[in-house]
């Protein structure tokens, strides 16, 4: 057996050699936590601990397989195969199969994946005669999933006042009943979903003391990777299993806790020292990944969080280049800058495509980068999602636009003729297609005379209404530009409303993607061509441009030499020589939904920390002075996170960004974008933007002398209110749960803003 302790630094060795008692290994980014965890397990076995008495839990199968392989290599034997090592779900499924009869399940119970679970929910919604467009399976599934991960069973769900109020507010009061029926249906089918593997494990240990005692004594040593990502159910199960021996080792980094939307809670790692007596804490602060310049920025950023375990990353690597801060005029310019920078770095420093990663806050941001990379013929690969123009909602919307321009496009007709649902079912569509083929007519010709296909009554009426809608759009082609026509299509078809009403995480992302598509069309109609002349703003011209982009050769799956595009969440655990962290703007990063709660804002800052620490050699931080949002050109303030970076760590020399001056916190307020002076049209637009910002800055609201904030619970849609900073406005919409209500308020002269009601001070105007 090799000398497995050789090559460990002092802190790593200390973590490995501590055998008995609770230990928390705070592993900073790039500090070799996987090496420490696997070496620690090998050390336990070398000290005589039976592999069958060791439980190691991870979050990915890849991590579990890698750990087993490393341990086998260290020990030089196959004894590691006897370890209980795997993901929470795989290990608990193994235990549940052995103990299934205790819970009334067969030992060979089925495990439903997400699609299976949603299918069952859809059947239940249908059986209950509910509208599955309102009780969307994805939304209901997410509510049930969140309940299980919070250890809330169907009975408790239906009896909890706060939960019922949240469902009532969303106008979905029967989710509790669906949850109850879903649980019974799964039990009847002898099936568990992914969340059940945690929830049923918890029930098994709490309801059967003999089973709990059995596994408490079997697992004398418990190790948990990425402890900061655990949720309430995982926390409680670990507490119970480790209660006898308390030989619990958790490895994680509170600074990388970024999954609260999945139920993870950073408090699990922050309170670990309170859960066990005589906890040993080892901090791994030596970073083996990044340059010191990158770590200086990461350390400074994360130090702003109040709720954290203090640590200071350092490295013996070279100092490295300063972080490059880049401001562009628009989001499309941001995409072009990144593509140009990649091209230059490849030529000058001999990097390959695979050495670059573009990290953004939301998937909708990928569009401008995809377009620019394609124009530069740079191979790229999108992670954590499909290409922007390949996403279903984008293809659905473009299908409408394409049939308005070309009614012979049968494939796109079939795609959207009944989406959103308009009572034109598959049977009717099949009849129309058969009639078109038999009579040698186009699908559109038959649609205009549905009786040709034998349609009568309600089916014929539905088809006629659809035809009238498309014909109405066609009358606008000559008189309306691409954006105005597209906006009308989105509104009258009900497609935008369909996505807006889906309040699930996935639904929100789809809605944001549609808005991003509309933004790109709006910019198309308002931006001159490369010669400075006004371009053809028609819908046909826009679709031709998009077709050239979307019909480009697709990247080969086996081609690994590609620029990586992904959200920061998807990038966690990865590393790249060169990283572009883009879109650092207020209301985007940090998200507008996180600005009124310290815990949410600190998670956004941790997300920025994760993005920074993905970079090994070079890091760019970019943001756009303006971007289209919801069809309007919005002026952006730089992210507050940029202002938290000391100027000595930044390189702004080649971007035209001046040093900070008094009265301009970020030193960016009066920049006239000198790097764009060579393009007169862009320079004019830049000047116009600055003029608009100057006018806006002069408008200051003075609160009323009798200003006194009202109880947030009294605020509702339609009310006129006063805000101390934004002035007078009207509440257009209220959404969210009891404790996180968010209002959309249209303020006079300020536009629409989203306000977290529990933290905003608003006066109701009589």
């Amino acid at each position: 057996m090799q000398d497995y302790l050789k090559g460990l630094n002092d802190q790593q060795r200390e973590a490995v050699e501590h055998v008995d008692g609770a230990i928390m290994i705070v592993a900073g980014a790039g500090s070799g936590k996987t090496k420490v965890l696997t070496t620690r397990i090998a050390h336990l076995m070398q000290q005589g601990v039976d592999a069958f008495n060791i439980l190691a839990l991870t979050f990915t199968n890849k991590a579990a397989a890698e750990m087993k392989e490393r341990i086998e290599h260290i020990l030089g034997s196959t004894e590691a195969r006897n370890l209980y090592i795997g993901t929470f779900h795989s290990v608990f499924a193994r235990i549940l199969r052995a103990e299934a009869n205790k819970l009334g399940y067969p030992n060979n119970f089925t495990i439903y994946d997400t699609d299976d679970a949603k299918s069952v929910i859809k059947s239940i919604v249908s059986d209950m005669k509910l509208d599955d467009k309102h009780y969307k399976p994805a939304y209901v599934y997410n509510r049930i999933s969140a309940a299980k991960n919070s250890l809330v069973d169907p009975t408790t769900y239906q009896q909890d006042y706060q939960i019922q109020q949240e469902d009532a507010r969303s106008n979905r009061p029967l989710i509790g009943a669906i949850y109850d029926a879903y649980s019974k249906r799964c039990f009847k089918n002898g099936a568990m979903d992914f969340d059940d593997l945690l929830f049923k494990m918890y029930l098994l240990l709490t309801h059967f003391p003999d089973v709990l005692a059995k596994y408490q004594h079997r697992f004398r040593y418990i190790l948990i990777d990425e402890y900061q990502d655990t949720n309430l159910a995982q926390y409680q199960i670990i507490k119970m299993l480790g209660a006898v021996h308390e030989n619990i080792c958790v490895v994680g980094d509170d600074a990388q806790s970024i999954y609260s939307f999945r139920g993870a809670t950073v408090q699990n790692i922050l309170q670990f020292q309170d859960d066990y007596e005589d906890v040993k804490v080892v901090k791994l602060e030596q970073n083996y990944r990044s340059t010191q310049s990158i770590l200086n920025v990461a350390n400074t950023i994360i130090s702003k969080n109040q709720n954290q375990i203090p640590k200071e990353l350092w490295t013996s690597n070279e100092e490295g280049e300063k972080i490059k801060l880049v401001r562009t005029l628009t989001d499309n310019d941001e995409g072009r800058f990144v593509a140009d920078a990649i091209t230059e770095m490849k030529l000058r420093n001999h990097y390959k495509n695979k050495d670059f990663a573009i990290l953004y806050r939301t998937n909708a941001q990928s569009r401008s980068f995809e377009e620019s990379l394609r124009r530069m013929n740079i191979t790229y690969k999108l992670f954590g999602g499909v290409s922007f123009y390949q996403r279903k909602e984008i293809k659905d919307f473009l299908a409408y636009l394409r049939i308005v321009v070309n009614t012979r496009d049968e494939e796109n007709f079939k795609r959207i003729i009944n989406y959103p649902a308009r009572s034109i079912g598959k049977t009717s569509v099949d009849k129309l297609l058969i009639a078109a083929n038999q009579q040698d007519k186009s699908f559109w010709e038959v649609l205009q005379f549905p009786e040709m296909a034998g349609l009568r009554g309600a089916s014929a009426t539905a088809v006629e209404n659809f035809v009238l809608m498309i014909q109405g759009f066609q009358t606008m082609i000559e008189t309306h530009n691409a954006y105005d026509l597209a906006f009308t299509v989105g509104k009258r078809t009900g497609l935008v409303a369909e996505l807006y009403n889906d309040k699930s995480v996935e639904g929100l992302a789809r809605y944001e993607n549609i808005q991003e598509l509309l933004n790109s069309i709006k910019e198309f109609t308002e931006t001159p061509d490369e010669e400075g002349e006004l371009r053809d703003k028609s819908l046909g011209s826009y679709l031709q441009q998009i077709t050239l982009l979307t019909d480009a050769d697709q990247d080969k799956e086996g081609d690994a030499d590609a620029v990586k595009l992904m959200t920061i969440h998807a990038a966690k655990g990865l590393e790249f020589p060169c990283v572009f962290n883009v879109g650092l703007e207020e209301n985007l990063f940090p998200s507008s939904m996180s600005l009124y709660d310290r815990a949410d804002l600190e998670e956004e800052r941790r997300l920025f920390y994760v993005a920074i620490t993905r970079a090994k050699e070079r890091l760019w931080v970019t943001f756009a002075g303006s971007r289209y949002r919801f069809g309007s050109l919005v002026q952006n303030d730089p992210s507050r996170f940029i202002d938290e970076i000391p100027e000595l760590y930044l390189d702004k020399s080649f971007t035209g960004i001046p040093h900070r001056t008094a009265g301009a916190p970020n030193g960016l307020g009066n920049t006239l974008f000198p790097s764009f002076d060579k393009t007169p049209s862009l320079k004019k637009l830049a000047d116009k933007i600055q003029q608009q910002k100057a006018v806006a800055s002069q408008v200051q609201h003075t609160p009323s002398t009798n200003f006194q904030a009202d109880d947030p619970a009294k605020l509702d849609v339609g009310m006129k209110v006063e805000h101390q900073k934004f002035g007078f406005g009207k509440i257009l919409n209220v959404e969210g749960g009891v404790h996180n209500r968010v209002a959309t308020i249209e303020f006079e002269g300020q536009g629409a803003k989203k306000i977290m009601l529990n933290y905003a001070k608003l006066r109701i105007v009589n």
Side-chain angles (χ1 to χ4, degrees), residues 343 346 353 371-380 553:
T343 300
K346 286 168 61 180
N353 288 329
E371 291 179 359
S372 295
L373 292 171
R374 280 174 171 164
R375 290 191 183 102
M376 298 291 289
N377 199 28
I378 298 174
T379 304
Y380 71 89
D553 292 339

Side-chain angles (χ1 to χ4, degrees), residues 621-634:
V621 174
T622 72
F623 63 101
S626 66
R627 71 174 64 237
Y628 279 87
R629 300 191 71 181
F630 303 101
S632 300
L633 185 65
V634 177

Side-chain angles (χ1 to χ4, degrees), residues 277-479:
E277 294 182 2
D278 301 322
V279 176
K280 184 174 184 61
V281 177
V282 178
K283 296 181 182 180
L284 305 182
E285 297 172 294
Q286 182 175 0
N287 176 284
Y288 294 91
R289 174 189 300 159
S290 307
T291 64
Q292 190 60 52
S293 290
I294 292 171
L295 297 183
N296 289 339
V297 174
N299 287 330
T300 303
I301 288 295
I302 203 62
S303 69
K304 307 299 181 184
N305 274 7
Q306 293 183 9
N307 205 15
Q308 65 166 310
I309 301 171
K311 59 186 159 302
E312 187 82 8
L313 294 182
W314 64 276
T315 185
S316 58
N317 296 339
E318 62 182 13
E319 184 71 19
E321 295 183 354
K322 289 185 176 182
I323 309 311
K324 296 177 179 63
L325 178 62
V326 182
R327 178 181 188 172
T328 61
L329 180 61
T330 69
D331 52 338
N332 273 0
D333 292 325
E334 184 181 39
R336 283 190 284 270
F337 167 81
V338 170
D340 289 343
I342 290 174
T343 300
E344 180 181 355
M345 293 298 293
K346 286 168 61 180
L347 290 172
R348 183 173 295 179
N349 300 97
H350 306 293
Y351 283 113
K352 296 182 178 179
N353 288 329
K354 65 182 179 181
D355 295 325
F356 297 91
I358 303 171
L359 309 183
Y360 34 75
R361 180 65 181 81
T362 67
N363 273 313
Q365 291 171 255
S366 73
R367 176 192 59 82
S368 63
F369 302 103
E370 290 188 65
E371 291 179 359
S372 295
L373 292 171
R374 280 174 171 164
R375 290 191 183 102
M376 298 291 289
N377 199 28
I378 298 174
T379 304
Y380 71 89
K381 185 170 180 59
L382 205 73
F383 285 75
V386 295
S387 174
F388 182 86
Y389 290 104
Q390 294 301 313
R391 293 165 186 162
K392 179 184 181 300
E393 61 275 13
I394 300 301
K395 297 187 73 161
D396 289 340
F397 200 112
L398 290 176
Y400 272 108
L401 301 184
R402 285 181 171 132
I403 62 174
V404 171
V405 174
N406 177 19
T407 54
R408 298 180 63 178
D409 193 341
E410 181 176 299
E411 289 304 310
N412 278 310
F413 263 120
K414 290 190 294 184
R415 184 179 186 92
I416 49 80
I417 190 170
N418 199 41
Y419 179 75
R422 53 176 60 92
S423 301
I424 306 177
K426 185 178 184 301
T427 301
S428 296
V429 173
D430 288 343
K431 288 181 179 180
L432 291 163
L433 287 169
I434 291 171
N437 290 332
Q438 289 179 342
Q439 300 178 43
D440 195 27
K441 295 182 180 296
S442 71
F443 189 63
W444 173 244
E445 289 176 303
V446 175
L447 278 176
Q448 295 176 79
F449 302 97
E451 62 272 14
M452 293 170 59
L455 298 187
R456 301 286 187 274
S459 297
T461 301
V463 171
E464 289 167 356
N465 290 337
F466 175 74
V467 169
L468 287 172
M469 180 179 68
I470 299 301
Q471 289 174 334
F473 297 150
Q474 289 178 311
T475 64
M476 300 173 63
I477 292 178
E478 298 299 327
T479 57

Side-chain angles (χ1 to χ4, degrees), residues 526-597:
E526 296 189 354
T527 304
D529 61 21
E530 294 182 357
E531 286 71 39
E533 298 180 359
L534 293 178
R535 66 173 70 184
D536 181 356
K537 301 179 182 180
S538 69
L539 180 60
S541 177
Y542 173 77
L543 290 175
Q544 177 178 312
Q545 172 185 288
I546 293 302
T547 300
L548 292 174
L549 287 173
T550 56
D551 286 348
D553 292 339
Q554 298 296 311
D555 299 336
K556 296 179 181 179
E557 286 297 319
D559 185 2
D561 187 27
V563 176
K564 311 300 190 298
L565 278 71
M566 66 187 78
T567 65
I568 302 169
H569 284 98
K572 185 171 176 290
L574 303 178
E575 59 183 44
F576 309 92
C578 303
V579 169
F580 293 88
N581 192 6
V582 301
L584 263 293
E585 301 143 24
E586 285 290 292
N587 298 313
L588 180 57
F589 194 10
S591 164
S592 60
M593 300 300 291
S594 69
L595 300 182
Y596 303 97
D597 181 87

Side-chain angles (χ1 to χ4, degrees), residues 102-309:
K102 297 280 198 313
L103 298 173
Y105 282 83
N107 294 100
N108 61 343
F109 61 81
T110 300
I111 299 177
Y112 283 159
D113 62 19
T114 302
D115 289 338
D116 295 330
K118 291 177 181 177
S119 179
V120 174
I121 290 171
K122 186 173 184 179
S123 298
I124 292 170
V125 168
S126 177
D127 293 345
M128 294 175 67
K129 296 183 170 35
L130 299 173
D131 183 2
D132 65 0
K133 297 296 185 294
H134 186 61
Y135 284 91
K136 291 181 178 290
Y139 180 89
V140 176
Y141 171 80
N142 287 338
R143 288 290 286 173
I144 293 174
S145 174
K148 289 180 180 178
N149 286 314
S150 297
L151 304 177
V152 175
D153 62 25
T155 301
T156 305
Y157 189 102
Q158 295 179 87
Q159 293 176 349
D160 187 284
Y161 175 77
Q162 180 178 332
I163 293 175
Q164 292 305 302
Q165 285 293 103
E166 290 177 359
D167 285 346
R169 196 179 300 280
S170 71
N171 198 26
R172 296 179 178 87
L174 295 178
I175 289 182
I178 299 172
Y179 181 14
D180 184 55
Y182 172 72
S183 296
K184 291 175 180 176
R185 181 78 60 90
C186 288
F187 182 78
K188 179 182 177 182
N189 294 346
M192 297 184 192
D193 63 24
F194 286 150
D195 299 306
D196 280 326
L197 297 177
L198 301 181
F199 189 40
K200 300 298 183 184
M201 181 69 181
Y202 172 78
L203 295 178
L204 177 69
L205 299 181
T206 52
H207 291 178
F208 300 94
D210 58 324
V211 176
L212 174 60
K214 172 182 175 181
Y215 290 100
Q216 283 176 332
H217 287 87
R218 172 175 295 179
F219 300 133
R220 290 177 51 209
Y221 293 88
I222 301 175
L223 303 94
I224 302 99
D225 190 18
E226 304 285 11
Y227 190 63
Q228 77 279 351
D229 294 335
T230 54
N231 59 30
L232 177 61
Q234 291 160 331
Y235 170 80
Q236 292 290 358
I237 293 169
I238 293 165
K239 281 279 289 181
M240 286 189 286
L241 288 175
V244 173
H245 299 288
E246 293 196 345
N247 292 326
I248 294 184
C249 170
V250 299
V251 182
D253 183 6
D254 61 293
Q256 298 187 68
S257 179
I258 59 174
Y259 295 121
S260 64
F261 65 94
R262 295 180 186 170
T265 171
V266 69
Q267 292 303 319
N268 288 352
I269 192 168
L270 294 178
Q271 71 183 25
F272 185 79
Q273 295 179 73
D274 298 326
D275 290 339
Y276 302 92
E277 294 182 2
D278 301 322
V279 176
K280 184 174 184 61
V281 177
V282 178
K283 296 181 182 180
L284 305 182
E285 297 172 294
Q286 182 175 0
N287 176 284
Y288 294 91
R289 174 189 300 159
S290 307
T291 64
Q292 190 60 52
S293 290
I294 292 171
L295 297 183
N296 289 339
V297 174
N299 287 330
T300 303
I301 288 295
I302 203 62
S303 69
K304 307 299 181 184
N305 274 7
Q306 293 183 9
N307 205 15
Q308 65 166 310
I309 301 171

